[in-house]
Amino acid sequence: MNVLDAFWHLSNFFLPAWAVAALMAGGAKLLWRRELKALAWRRLTVWGGWGGSAALILALVLLGRDGKMLGYGLMLLGISLPQCILSFRPGR
């Protein structure tokens, strides 16, 4: 595997976490427009993306391979938790 192949392999491994984090942040900003007015879309996306990436790595370590449904469930939890904490914590 050369460097370009490794780059695309890693990019495609982390792409679902970042894409779902961006979609989830956009959806949250649309659904809770007034409540999340002060919170930037980019901040929600970045925190969700990092949480989802960490969850994918954890799933890879625990399950031994990528692409299992439990791993994607952990990814959704890893994305949702930071976004929920940022969005609905008191005293934001």
Side-chain angles (χ1 to χ4, degrees):
M1 180 183 300
N2 62 21
V3 175
L4 189 60
D5 288 339
F7 168 76
W8 285 116
H9 189 75
L10 286 174
S11 296
N12 287 324
F13 177 71
F14 290 116
L15 180 68
W18 288 90
V20 171
L23 289 171
M24 201 176 275
K29 291 285 282 185
L30 282 175
L31 287 174
W32 294 285
R33 195 169 293 150
R34 278 180 283 147
E35 293 85 353
L36 299 180
K37 187 177 183 178
L39 195 59
W41 172 83
R42 186 171 185 211
R43 184 173 180 197
L44 282 172
T45 301
V46 168
W47 279 96
W50 281 115
S53 296
L56 282 176
I57 292 170
L58 178 67
L60 183 63
V61 169
L62 290 176
L63 303 173
R65 61 179 286 247
D66 178 37
K68 291 195 173 190
M69 290 304 293
L70 181 60
Y72 288 122
L74 284 173
M75 179 191 75
L76 288 177
L77 183 67
I79 293 169
S80 302
L81 202 58
Q83 287 186 353
C84 188
I85 290 170
L86 282 174
S87 299
F88 301 111
R89 67 178 181 200
R92 193 171 13 108

